[in-house]
PDB file of all heavy atoms in Angstrom:
ATOM      1  N   GLU J   1     -17.098  -5.334   0.456  1.00  0.00           N
ATOM      2  CA  GLU J   1     -16.736  -6.170  -0.688  1.00  0.00           C
ATOM      3  C   GLU J   1     -17.228  -5.571  -2.000  1.00  0.00           C
ATOM      4  O   GLU J   1     -16.534  -5.635  -3.022  1.00  0.00           O
ATOM      5  CB  GLU J   1     -17.311  -7.575  -0.523  1.00  0.00           C
ATOM      6  CG  GLU J   1     -16.508  -8.474   0.396  1.00  0.00           C
ATOM      7  CD  GLU J   1     -17.067  -9.876   0.469  1.00  0.00           C
ATOM      8  OE1 GLU J   1     -18.299 -10.017   0.613  1.00  0.00           O
ATOM      9  OE2 GLU J   1     -16.285 -10.843   0.374  1.00  0.00           O
ATOM     10  N   LYS J   2     -18.424  -4.984  -1.994  1.00  0.00           N
ATOM     11  CA  LYS J   2     -18.933  -4.355  -3.214  1.00  0.00           C
ATOM     12  C   LYS J   2     -18.087  -3.133  -3.567  1.00  0.00           C
ATOM     13  O   LYS J   2     -17.788  -2.891  -4.743  1.00  0.00           O
ATOM     14  CB  LYS J   2     -20.412  -3.960  -3.057  1.00  0.00           C
ATOM     15  CG  LYS J   2     -21.355  -5.145  -3.029  1.00  0.00           C
ATOM     16  CD  LYS J   2     -22.764  -4.781  -3.450  1.00  0.00           C
ATOM     17  CE  LYS J   2     -22.901  -4.629  -4.946  1.00  0.00           C
ATOM     18  NZ  LYS J   2     -24.307  -4.552  -5.394  1.00  0.00           N
ATOM     19  N   MET J   3     -17.703  -2.362  -2.556  1.00  0.00           N
ATOM     20  CA  MET J   3     -16.798  -1.240  -2.797  1.00  0.00           C
ATOM     21  C   MET J   3     -15.479  -1.747  -3.382  1.00  0.00           C
ATOM     22  O   MET J   3     -14.968  -1.217  -4.381  1.00  0.00           O
ATOM     23  CB  MET J   3     -16.519  -0.500  -1.485  1.00  0.00           C
ATOM     24  CG  MET J   3     -17.684   0.281  -0.919  1.00  0.00           C
ATOM     25  SD  MET J   3     -17.149   1.147   0.583  1.00  0.00           S
ATOM     26  CE  MET J   3     -18.533   2.240   0.857  1.00  0.00           C
ATOM     27  N   GLN J   4     -14.948  -2.763  -2.737  1.00  0.00           N
ATOM     28  CA  GLN J   4     -13.656  -3.324  -3.128  1.00  0.00           C
ATOM     29  C   GLN J   4     -13.690  -3.846  -4.563  1.00  0.00           C
ATOM     30  O   GLN J   4     -12.800  -3.554  -5.374  1.00  0.00           O
ATOM     31  CB  GLN J   4     -13.297  -4.450  -2.151  1.00  0.00           C
ATOM     32  CG  GLN J   4     -11.914  -5.036  -2.325  1.00  0.00           C
ATOM     33  CD  GLN J   4     -11.663  -6.152  -1.324  1.00  0.00           C
ATOM     34  OE1 GLN J   4     -12.552  -6.943  -1.025  1.00  0.00           O
ATOM     35  NE2 GLN J   4     -10.457  -6.231  -0.808  1.00  0.00           N
ATOM     36  N   HIS J   5     -14.733  -4.604  -4.888  1.00  0.00           N
ATOM     37  CA  HIS J   5     -14.847  -5.182  -6.226  1.00  0.00           C
ATOM     38  C   HIS J   5     -14.953  -4.090  -7.287  1.00  0.00           C
ATOM     39  O   HIS J   5     -14.307  -4.163  -8.348  1.00  0.00           O
ATOM     40  CB  HIS J   5     -16.072  -6.100  -6.300  1.00  0.00           C
ATOM     41  CG  HIS J   5     -16.341  -6.629  -7.678  1.00  0.00           C
ATOM     42  ND1 HIS J   5     -15.580  -7.625  -8.255  1.00  0.00           N
ATOM     43  CD2 HIS J   5     -17.268  -6.277  -8.602  1.00  0.00           C
ATOM     44  CE1 HIS J   5     -16.030  -7.865  -9.475  1.00  0.00           C
ATOM     45  NE2 HIS J   5     -17.058  -7.073  -9.712  1.00  0.00           N
ATOM     46  N   THR J   6     -15.760  -3.066  -7.002  1.00  0.00           N
ATOM     47  CA  THR J   6     -15.954  -1.982  -7.960  1.00  0.00           C
ATOM     48  C   THR J   6     -14.656  -1.212  -8.178  1.00  0.00           C
ATOM     49  O   THR J   6     -14.244  -0.952  -9.320  1.00  0.00           O
ATOM     50  CB  THR J   6     -17.052  -1.019  -7.477  1.00  0.00           C
ATOM     51  OG1 THR J   6     -18.265  -1.756  -7.263  1.00  0.00           O
ATOM     52  CG2 THR J   6     -17.306   0.078  -8.483  1.00  0.00           C
ATOM     53  N   LEU J   7     -13.998  -0.833  -7.082  1.00  0.00           N
ATOM     54  CA  LEU J   7     -12.742  -0.102  -7.193  1.00  0.00           C
ATOM     55  C   LEU J   7     -11.673  -0.937  -7.886  1.00  0.00           C
ATOM     56  O   LEU J   7     -10.926  -0.439  -8.733  1.00  0.00           O
ATOM     57  CB  LEU J   7     -12.251   0.326  -5.805  1.00  0.00           C
ATOM     58  CG  LEU J   7     -12.957   1.530  -5.186  1.00  0.00           C
ATOM     59  CD1 LEU J   7     -12.647   1.633  -3.701  1.00  0.00           C
ATOM     60  CD2 LEU J   7     -12.554   2.821  -5.901  1.00  0.00           C
ATOM     61  N   ASP J   8     -11.610  -2.223  -7.536  1.00  0.00           N
ATOM     62  CA  ASP J   8     -10.612  -3.109  -8.125  1.00  0.00           C
ATOM     63  C   ASP J   8     -10.766  -3.157  -9.648  1.00  0.00           C
ATOM     64  O   ASP J   8      -9.784  -3.112 -10.396  1.00  0.00           O
ATOM     65  CB  ASP J   8     -10.754  -4.517  -7.531  1.00  0.00           C
ATOM     66  CG  ASP J   8      -9.512  -5.362  -7.739  1.00  0.00           C
ATOM     67  OD1 ASP J   8      -8.438  -4.953  -7.259  1.00  0.00           O
ATOM     68  OD2 ASP J   8      -9.611  -6.418  -8.387  1.00  0.00           O
ATOM     69  N   THR J   9     -12.013  -3.239 -10.104  1.00  0.00           N
ATOM     70  CA  THR J   9     -12.284  -3.249 -11.541  1.00  0.00           C
ATOM     71  C   THR J   9     -11.865  -1.932 -12.181  1.00  0.00           C
ATOM     72  O   THR J   9     -11.277  -1.906 -13.277  1.00  0.00           O
ATOM     73  CB  THR J   9     -13.781  -3.502 -11.795  1.00  0.00           C
ATOM     74  OG1 THR J   9     -14.150  -4.762 -11.225  1.00  0.00           O
ATOM     75  CG2 THR J   9     -14.087  -3.519 -13.283  1.00  0.00           C
ATOM     76  N   MET J  10     -12.147  -0.829 -11.499  1.00  0.00           N
ATOM     77  CA  MET J  10     -11.766   0.491 -12.019  1.00  0.00           C
ATOM     78  C   MET J  10     -10.248   0.627 -12.102  1.00  0.00           C
ATOM     79  O   MET J  10      -9.709   1.152 -13.083  1.00  0.00           O
ATOM     80  CB  MET J  10     -12.368   1.595 -11.136  1.00  0.00           C
ATOM     81  CG  MET J  10     -13.893   1.642 -11.160  1.00  0.00           C
ATOM     82  SD  MET J  10     -14.612   2.833  -9.988  1.00  0.00           S
ATOM     83  CE  MET J  10     -14.410   4.372 -10.910  1.00  0.00           C
ATOM     84  N   PHE J  11      -9.546   0.151 -11.072  1.00  0.00           N
ATOM     85  CA  PHE J  11      -8.079   0.221 -11.079  1.00  0.00           C
ATOM     86  C   PHE J  11      -7.506  -0.585 -12.245  1.00  0.00           C
ATOM     87  O   PHE J  11      -6.635  -0.115 -12.984  1.00  0.00           O
ATOM     88  CB  PHE J  11      -7.500  -0.323  -9.771  1.00  0.00           C
ATOM     89  CG  PHE J  11      -7.878   0.435  -8.531  1.00  0.00           C
ATOM     90  CD1 PHE J  11      -7.797  -0.172  -7.284  1.00  0.00           C
ATOM     91  CD2 PHE J  11      -8.319   1.749  -8.582  1.00  0.00           C
ATOM     92  CE1 PHE J  11      -8.135   0.511  -6.130  1.00  0.00           C
ATOM     93  CE2 PHE J  11      -8.666   2.441  -7.437  1.00  0.00           C
ATOM     94  CZ  PHE J  11      -8.571   1.818  -6.211  1.00  0.00           C
ATOM     95  N   LYS J  12      -7.980  -1.807 -12.382  1.00  0.00           N
ATOM     96  CA  LYS J  12      -7.429  -2.701 -13.396  1.00  0.00           C
ATOM     97  C   LYS J  12      -7.690  -2.184 -14.806  1.00  0.00           C
ATOM     98  O   LYS J  12      -6.909  -2.441 -15.721  1.00  0.00           O
ATOM     99  CB  LYS J  12      -7.988  -4.104 -13.216  1.00  0.00           C
ATOM    100  CG  LYS J  12      -7.399  -4.815 -12.001  1.00  0.00           C
ATOM    101  CD  LYS J  12      -8.054  -6.153 -11.724  1.00  0.00           C
ATOM    102  CE  LYS J  12      -7.402  -6.822 -10.510  1.00  0.00           C
ATOM    103  NZ  LYS J  12      -8.116  -8.046 -10.094  1.00  0.00           N
ATOM    104  N   SER J  13      -8.774  -1.429 -14.978  1.00  0.00           N
ATOM    105  CA  SER J  13      -9.062  -0.861 -16.299  1.00  0.00           C
ATOM    106  C   SER J  13      -8.013   0.179 -16.704  1.00  0.00           C
ATOM    107  O   SER J  13      -7.908   0.537 -17.884  1.00  0.00           O
ATOM    108  CB  SER J  13     -10.453  -0.233 -16.315  1.00  0.00           C
ATOM    109  OG  SER J  13     -10.476   0.983 -15.573  1.00  0.00           O
ATOM    110  N   THR J  14      -7.212   0.664 -15.737  1.00  0.00           N
ATOM    111  CA  THR J  14      -6.144   1.625 -16.039  1.00  0.00           C
ATOM    112  C   THR J  14      -4.779   0.951 -16.105  1.00  0.00           C
ATOM    113  O   THR J  14      -3.754   1.637 -16.190  1.00  0.00           O
ATOM    114  CB  THR J  14      -6.095   2.751 -14.988  1.00  0.00           C
ATOM    115  OG1 THR J  14      -5.595   2.232 -13.744  1.00  0.00           O
ATOM    116  CG2 THR J  14      -7.467   3.371 -14.767  1.00  0.00           C
ATOM    117  N   GLY J  15      -4.746  -0.386 -16.032  1.00  0.00           N
ATOM    118  CA  GLY J  15      -3.483  -1.115 -16.149  1.00  0.00           C
ATOM    119  C   GLY J  15      -2.870  -1.563 -14.838  1.00  0.00           C
ATOM    120  O   GLY J  15      -1.784  -2.157 -14.823  1.00  0.00           O
ATOM    121  N   VAL J  16      -3.534  -1.303 -13.718  1.00  0.00           N
ATOM    122  CA  VAL J  16      -2.998  -1.662 -12.406  1.00  0.00           C
ATOM    123  C   VAL J  16      -3.139  -3.161 -12.155  1.00  0.00           C
ATOM    124  O   VAL J  16      -4.124  -3.789 -12.538  1.00  0.00           O
ATOM    125  CB  VAL J  16      -3.726  -0.870 -11.296  1.00  0.00           C
ATOM    126  CG1 VAL J  16      -3.332  -1.351  -9.910  1.00  0.00           C
ATOM    127  CG2 VAL J  16      -3.429   0.620 -11.447  1.00  0.00           C
ATOM    128  N   GLN J  17      -2.128  -3.750 -11.497  1.00  0.00           N
ATOM    129  CA  GLN J  17      -2.164  -5.154 -11.071  1.00  0.00           C
ATOM    130  C   GLN J  17      -2.084  -5.217  -9.555  1.00  0.00           C
ATOM    131  O   GLN J  17      -1.493  -4.343  -8.908  1.00  0.00           O
ATOM    132  CB  GLN J  17      -0.994  -5.935 -11.669  1.00  0.00           C
ATOM    133  CG  GLN J  17      -1.029  -6.073 -13.184  1.00  0.00           C
ATOM    134  CD  GLN J  17       0.178  -6.824 -13.689  1.00  0.00           C
ATOM    135  OE1 GLN J  17       1.313  -6.379 -13.550  1.00  0.00           O
ATOM    136  NE2 GLN J  17      -0.062  -7.991 -14.280  1.00  0.00           N
ATOM    137  N   ASN J  18      -2.653  -6.279  -8.971  1.00  0.00           N
ATOM    138  CA  ASN J  18      -2.601  -6.459  -7.524  1.00  0.00           C
ATOM    139  C   ASN J  18      -1.403  -7.311  -7.115  1.00  0.00           C
ATOM    140  O   ASN J  18      -1.016  -8.250  -7.823  1.00  0.00           O
ATOM    141  CB  ASN J  18      -3.878  -7.131  -7.016  1.00  0.00           C
ATOM    142  CG  ASN J  18      -5.063  -6.193  -7.024  1.00  0.00           C
ATOM    143  OD1 ASN J  18      -4.900  -4.982  -6.921  1.00  0.00           O
ATOM    144  ND2 ASN J  18      -6.264  -6.735  -7.145  1.00  0.00           N
ATOM    145  N   ALA J  19      -0.851  -6.994  -5.946  1.00  0.00           N
ATOM    146  CA  ALA J  19       0.228  -7.779  -5.338  1.00  0.00           C
ATOM    147  C   ALA J  19       0.049  -7.699  -3.829  1.00  0.00           C
ATOM    148  O   ALA J  19      -0.879  -7.049  -3.334  1.00  0.00           O
ATOM    149  CB  ALA J  19       1.591  -7.237  -5.759  1.00  0.00           C
ATOM    150  N   TYR J  20       0.927  -8.370  -3.100  1.00  0.00           N
ATOM    151  CA  TYR J  20       0.854  -8.307  -1.638  1.00  0.00           C
ATOM    152  C   TYR J  20       2.263  -8.228  -1.063  1.00  0.00           C
ATOM    153  O   TYR J  20       3.170  -8.941  -1.506  1.00  0.00           O
ATOM    154  CB  TYR J  20       0.128  -9.521  -1.061  1.00  0.00           C
ATOM    155  CG  TYR J  20      -0.082  -9.392   0.435  1.00  0.00           C
ATOM    156  CD1 TYR J  20      -1.122  -8.611   0.933  1.00  0.00           C
ATOM    157  CD2 TYR J  20       0.787  -9.987   1.340  1.00  0.00           C
ATOM    158  CE1 TYR J  20      -1.295  -8.444   2.294  1.00  0.00           C
ATOM    159  CE2 TYR J  20       0.622  -9.823   2.703  1.00  0.00           C
ATOM    160  CZ  TYR J  20      -0.419  -9.051   3.178  1.00  0.00           C
ATOM    161  OH  TYR J  20      -0.582  -8.872   4.530  1.00  0.00           O
ATOM    162  N   PHE J  21       2.426  -7.364  -0.048  1.00  0.00           N
ATOM    163  CA  PHE J  21       3.722  -7.134   0.578  1.00  0.00           C
ATOM    164  C   PHE J  21       3.623  -7.397   2.086  1.00  0.00           C
ATOM    165  O   PHE J  21       2.535  -7.403   2.656  1.00  0.00           O
ATOM    166  CB  PHE J  21       4.173  -5.691   0.309  1.00  0.00           C
ATOM    167  CG  PHE J  21       4.359  -5.398  -1.153  1.00  0.00           C
ATOM    168  CD1 PHE J  21       3.288  -4.977  -1.938  1.00  0.00           C
ATOM    169  CD2 PHE J  21       5.600  -5.570  -1.755  1.00  0.00           C
ATOM    170  CE1 PHE J  21       3.456  -4.724  -3.294  1.00  0.00           C
ATOM    171  CE2 PHE J  21       5.769  -5.318  -3.107  1.00  0.00           C
ATOM    172  CZ  PHE J  21       4.696  -4.901  -3.880  1.00  0.00           C
ATOM    173  N   PRO J  22       4.753  -7.614   2.769  1.00  0.00           N
ATOM    174  CA  PRO J  22       4.731  -8.016   4.179  1.00  0.00           C
ATOM    175  C   PRO J  22       4.037  -7.019   5.108  1.00  0.00           C
ATOM    176  O   PRO J  22       4.096  -5.808   4.896  1.00  0.00           O
ATOM    177  CB  PRO J  22       6.217  -8.140   4.523  1.00  0.00           C
ATOM    178  CG  PRO J  22       6.888  -8.425   3.229  1.00  0.00           C
ATOM    179  CD  PRO J  22       6.111  -7.644   2.207  1.00  0.00           C
ATOM    180  N   LEU J  23       3.430  -7.581   6.144  1.00  0.00           N
ATOM    181  CA  LEU J  23       2.793  -6.785   7.196  1.00  0.00           C
ATOM    182  C   LEU J  23       3.836  -6.074   8.047  1.00  0.00           C
ATOM    183  O   LEU J  23       3.609  -4.972   8.543  1.00  0.00           O
ATOM    184  CB  LEU J  23       1.943  -7.703   8.074  1.00  0.00           C
ATOM    185  CG  LEU J  23       1.373  -7.131   9.363  1.00  0.00           C
ATOM    186  CD1 LEU J  23       0.303  -6.098   9.051  1.00  0.00           C
ATOM    187  CD2 LEU J  23       0.794  -8.242  10.236  1.00  0.00           C
ATOM    188  N   LEU J  24       4.997  -6.711   8.224  1.00  0.00           N
ATOM    189  CA  LEU J  24       6.039  -6.198   9.110  1.00  0.00           C
ATOM    190  C   LEU J  24       7.141  -5.518   8.302  1.00  0.00           C
ATOM    191  O   LEU J  24       7.608  -6.051   7.290  1.00  0.00           O
ATOM    192  CB  LEU J  24       6.628  -7.324   9.956  1.00  0.00           C
ATOM    193  CG  LEU J  24       5.609  -8.048  10.856  1.00  0.00           C
ATOM    194  CD1 LEU J  24       6.271  -9.223  11.562  1.00  0.00           C
ATOM    195  CD2 LEU J  24       5.003  -7.089  11.865  1.00  0.00           C
ATOM    196  N   ILE J  25       7.542  -4.347   8.780  1.00  0.00           N
ATOM    197  CA  ILE J  25       8.525  -3.531   8.067  1.00  0.00           C
ATOM    198  C   ILE J  25       9.731  -3.289   8.979  1.00  0.00           C
ATOM    199  O   ILE J  25       9.561  -2.846  10.129  1.00  0.00           O
ATOM    200  CB  ILE J  25       7.904  -2.180   7.669  1.00  0.00           C
ATOM    201  CG1 ILE J  25       6.700  -2.417   6.739  1.00  0.00           C
ATOM    202  CG2 ILE J  25       8.936  -1.277   7.006  1.00  0.00           C
ATOM    203  CD1 ILE J  25       5.911  -1.163   6.444  1.00  0.00           C
ATOM    204  N   PRO J  26      10.952  -3.574   8.521  1.00  0.00           N
ATOM    205  CA  PRO J  26      12.137  -3.273   9.346  1.00  0.00           C
ATOM    206  C   PRO J  26      12.173  -1.794   9.723  1.00  0.00           C
ATOM    207  O   PRO J  26      11.901  -0.922   8.886  1.00  0.00           O
ATOM    208  CB  PRO J  26      13.307  -3.634   8.421  1.00  0.00           C
ATOM    209  CG  PRO J  26      12.741  -4.618   7.442  1.00  0.00           C
ATOM    210  CD  PRO J  26      11.316  -4.196   7.227  1.00  0.00           C
ATOM    211  N   LYS J  27      12.481  -1.522  10.965  1.00  0.00           N
ATOM    212  CA  LYS J  27      12.490  -0.131  11.432  1.00  0.00           C
ATOM    213  C   LYS J  27      13.455   0.723  10.615  1.00  0.00           C
ATOM    214  O   LYS J  27      13.192   1.898  10.342  1.00  0.00           O
ATOM    215  CB  LYS J  27      12.855  -0.071  12.917  1.00  0.00           C
ATOM    216  CG  LYS J  27      12.716   1.337  13.510  1.00  0.00           C
ATOM    217  CD  LYS J  27      12.872   1.343  15.018  1.00  0.00           C
ATOM    218  CE  LYS J  27      14.332   1.201  15.418  1.00  0.00           C
ATOM    219  NZ  LYS J  27      14.522   1.402  16.870  1.00  0.00           N
ATOM    220  N   SER J  28      14.566   0.136  10.185  1.00  0.00           N
ATOM    221  CA  SER J  28      15.550   0.881   9.396  1.00  0.00           C
ATOM    222  C   SER J  28      14.962   1.357   8.073  1.00  0.00           C
ATOM    223  O   SER J  28      15.344   2.403   7.560  1.00  0.00           O
ATOM    224  CB  SER J  28      16.781   0.009   9.124  1.00  0.00           C
ATOM    225  OG  SER J  28      16.417  -1.169   8.404  1.00  0.00           O
ATOM    226  N   PHE J  29      14.002   0.591   7.502  1.00  0.00           N
ATOM    227  CA  PHE J  29      13.360   1.003   6.263  1.00  0.00           C
ATOM    228  C   PHE J  29      12.560   2.285   6.483  1.00  0.00           C
ATOM    229  O   PHE J  29      12.607   3.206   5.679  1.00  0.00           O
ATOM    230  CB  PHE J  29      12.412  -0.100   5.749  1.00  0.00           C
ATOM    231  CG  PHE J  29      13.091  -1.163   4.931  1.00  0.00           C
ATOM    232  CD1 PHE J  29      14.325  -1.664   5.300  1.00  0.00           C
ATOM    233  CD2 PHE J  29      12.504  -1.652   3.787  1.00  0.00           C
ATOM    234  CE1 PHE J  29      14.963  -2.643   4.562  1.00  0.00           C
ATOM    235  CE2 PHE J  29      13.116  -2.625   3.021  1.00  0.00           C
ATOM    236  CZ  PHE J  29      14.358  -3.131   3.404  1.00  0.00           C
ATOM    237  N   LEU J  30      11.811   2.298   7.578  1.00  0.00           N
ATOM    238  CA  LEU J  30      10.943   3.444   7.850  1.00  0.00           C
ATOM    239  C   LEU J  30      11.758   4.718   8.055  1.00  0.00           C
ATOM    240  O   LEU J  30      11.301   5.817   7.769  1.00  0.00           O
ATOM    241  CB  LEU J  30      10.081   3.163   9.083  1.00  0.00           C
ATOM    242  CG  LEU J  30       8.776   3.955   9.197  1.00  0.00           C
ATOM    243  CD1 LEU J  30       7.796   3.532   8.108  1.00  0.00           C
ATOM    244  CD2 LEU J  30       8.140   3.746  10.563  1.00  0.00           C
ATOM    245  N   CYS J  31      12.983   4.540   8.533  1.00  0.00           N
ATOM    246  CA  CYS J  31      13.812   5.693   8.861  1.00  0.00           C
ATOM    247  C   CYS J  31      14.538   6.286   7.650  1.00  0.00           C
ATOM    248  O   CYS J  31      15.194   7.325   7.774  1.00  0.00           O
ATOM    249  CB  CYS J  31      14.853   5.307   9.921  1.00  0.00           C
ATOM    250  SG  CYS J  31      14.130   4.854  11.511  1.00  0.00           S
ATOM    251  N   ARG J  32      14.439   5.655   6.491  1.00  0.00           N
ATOM    252  CA  ARG J  32      15.219   6.131   5.341  1.00  0.00           C
ATOM    253  C   ARG J  32      14.674   7.422   4.735  1.00  0.00           C
ATOM    254  O   ARG J  32      15.407   8.152   4.076  1.00  0.00           O
ATOM    255  CB  ARG J  32      15.276   5.042   4.267  1.00  0.00           C
ATOM    256  CG  ARG J  32      16.142   3.857   4.670  1.00  0.00           C
ATOM    257  CD  ARG J  32      16.426   2.977   3.460  1.00  0.00           C
ATOM    258  NE  ARG J  32      16.944   1.683   3.862  1.00  0.00           N
ATOM    259  CZ  ARG J  32      17.299   0.738   3.013  1.00  0.00           C
ATOM    260  NH1 ARG J  32      17.163   0.937   1.711  1.00  0.00           N
ATOM    261  NH2 ARG J  32      17.757  -0.421   3.450  1.00  0.00           N
ATOM    262  N   GLU J  33      13.367   7.663   4.892  1.00  0.00           N
ATOM    263  CA  GLU J  33      12.770   8.898   4.366  1.00  0.00           C
ATOM    264  C   GLU J  33      12.353   9.738   5.560  1.00  0.00           C
ATOM    265  O   GLU J  33      11.414   9.407   6.262  1.00  0.00           O
ATOM    266  CB  GLU J  33      11.563   8.561   3.475  1.00  0.00           C
ATOM    267  CG  GLU J  33      11.384   9.492   2.278  1.00  0.00           C
ATOM    268  CD  GLU J  33      10.961  10.903   2.676  1.00  0.00           C
ATOM    269  OE1 GLU J  33      10.244  11.038   3.673  1.00  0.00           O
ATOM    270  OE2 GLU J  33      11.339  11.858   1.984  1.00  0.00           O
ATOM    271  N   ALA J  34      13.086  10.824   5.799  1.00  0.00           N
ATOM    272  CA  ALA J  34      12.958  11.579   7.057  1.00  0.00           C
ATOM    273  C   ALA J  34      11.550  12.097   7.311  1.00  0.00           C
ATOM    274  O   ALA J  34      11.002  11.931   8.418  1.00  0.00           O
ATOM    275  CB  ALA J  34      13.958  12.735   7.059  1.00  0.00           C
ATOM    276  N   GLU J  35      10.934  12.748   6.328  1.00  0.00           N
ATOM    277  CA  GLU J  35       9.587  13.299   6.521  1.00  0.00           C
ATOM    278  C   GLU J  35       8.584  12.171   6.783  1.00  0.00           C
ATOM    279  O   GLU J  35       7.659  12.315   7.579  1.00  0.00           O
ATOM    280  CB  GLU J  35       9.151  14.077   5.275  1.00  0.00           C
ATOM    281  CG  GLU J  35       9.816  15.427   5.123  1.00  0.00           C
ATOM    282  CD  GLU J  35       9.231  16.182   3.937  1.00  0.00           C
ATOM    283  OE1 GLU J  35       7.995  16.374   3.913  1.00  0.00           O
ATOM    284  OE2 GLU J  35      10.001  16.545   3.043  1.00  0.00           O
ATOM    285  N   HIS J  36       8.769  11.053   6.091  1.00  0.00           N
ATOM    286  CA  HIS J  36       7.851   9.930   6.209  1.00  0.00           C
ATOM    287  C   HIS J  36       7.851   9.371   7.635  1.00  0.00           C
ATOM    288  O   HIS J  36       6.789   9.185   8.243  1.00  0.00           O
ATOM    289  CB  HIS J  36       8.271   8.843   5.213  1.00  0.00           C
ATOM    290  CG  HIS J  36       7.286   7.735   5.057  1.00  0.00           C
ATOM    291  ND1 HIS J  36       6.054   7.918   4.455  1.00  0.00           N
ATOM    292  CD2 HIS J  36       7.330   6.431   5.425  1.00  0.00           C
ATOM    293  CE1 HIS J  36       5.399   6.772   4.439  1.00  0.00           C
ATOM    294  NE2 HIS J  36       6.153   5.857   5.031  1.00  0.00           N
ATOM    295  N   VAL J  37       9.025   9.105   8.186  1.00  0.00           N
ATOM    296  CA  VAL J  37       9.088   8.532   9.538  1.00  0.00           C
ATOM    297  C   VAL J  37       8.560   9.522  10.567  1.00  0.00           C
ATOM    298  O   VAL J  37       7.875   9.139  11.526  1.00  0.00           O
ATOM    299  CB  VAL J  37      10.519   8.068   9.893  1.00  0.00           C
ATOM    300  CG1 VAL J  37      11.474   9.239  10.027  1.00  0.00           C
ATOM    301  CG2 VAL J  37      10.513   7.236  11.178  1.00  0.00           C
ATOM    302  N   GLU J  38       8.830  10.814  10.373  1.00  0.00           N
ATOM    303  CA  GLU J  38       8.330  11.817  11.314  1.00  0.00           C
ATOM    304  C   GLU J  38       6.807  11.868  11.292  1.00  0.00           C
ATOM    305  O   GLU J  38       6.162  12.028  12.318  1.00  0.00           O
ATOM    306  CB  GLU J  38       8.910  13.191  10.958  1.00  0.00           C
ATOM    307  CG  GLU J  38       8.518  14.268  11.947  1.00  0.00           C
ATOM    308  CD  GLU J  38       9.112  15.620  11.588  1.00  0.00           C
ATOM    309  OE1 GLU J  38       9.935  15.685  10.655  1.00  0.00           O
ATOM    310  OE2 GLU J  38       8.746  16.612  12.234  1.00  0.00           O
ATOM    311  N   GLY J  39       6.229  11.685  10.093  1.00  0.00           N
ATOM    312  CA  GLY J  39       4.779  11.750   9.955  1.00  0.00           C
ATOM    313  C   GLY J  39       4.052  10.607  10.631  1.00  0.00           C
ATOM    314  O   GLY J  39       2.905  10.755  11.052  1.00  0.00           O
ATOM    315  N   PHE J  40       4.706   9.436  10.728  1.00  0.00           N
ATOM    316  CA  PHE J  40       4.028   8.255  11.271  1.00  0.00           C
ATOM    317  C   PHE J  40       4.589   7.767  12.606  1.00  0.00           C
ATOM    318  O   PHE J  40       4.047   6.822  13.191  1.00  0.00           O
ATOM    319  CB  PHE J  40       4.095   7.099  10.257  1.00  0.00           C
ATOM    320  CG  PHE J  40       3.206   7.306   9.067  1.00  0.00           C
ATOM    321  CD1 PHE J  40       3.722   7.762   7.861  1.00  0.00           C
ATOM    322  CD2 PHE J  40       1.846   7.067   9.146  1.00  0.00           C
ATOM    323  CE1 PHE J  40       2.899   7.964   6.763  1.00  0.00           C
ATOM    324  CE2 PHE J  40       1.017   7.267   8.062  1.00  0.00           C
ATOM    325  CZ  PHE J  40       1.549   7.717   6.861  1.00  0.00           C
ATOM    326  N   ALA J  41       5.644   8.386  13.110  1.00  0.00           N
ATOM    327  CA  ALA J  41       6.345   7.882  14.290  1.00  0.00           C
ATOM    328  C   ALA J  41       5.430   7.674  15.498  1.00  0.00           C
ATOM    329  O   ALA J  41       5.539   6.668  16.214  1.00  0.00           O
ATOM    330  CB  ALA J  41       7.490   8.832  14.653  1.00  0.00           C
TER     331      ALA J  41
END
């Protein structure tokens, strides 16, 4: 938590905002970037 809080403050000082995205990703999405899917398959 101390790491997280410190980094979060550092990020926000550069203009970054936090958001949240789904845990589950459609398989078709992963397949759209060829090198990416090969790297994590």
Side-chain angles (χ1 to χ4, degrees):
E1 280 183 314
K2 289 204 77 168
M3 290 183 169
Q4 186 181 39
H5 174 75
T6 303
L7 283 165
D8 198 60
T9 301
M10 295 174 80
F11 297 159
K12 287 174 179 173
S13 73
T14 71
V16 172
Q17 294 179 296
N18 286 333
Y20 186 80
F21 298 87
L23 170 69
L24 300 175
I25 299 172
K27 187 171 76 172
S28 60
F29 275 41
L30 203 68
C31 295
R32 290 193 195 181
E33 215 291 327
E35 285 185 56
H36 190 69
V37 68
E38 184 179 353
F40 288 100

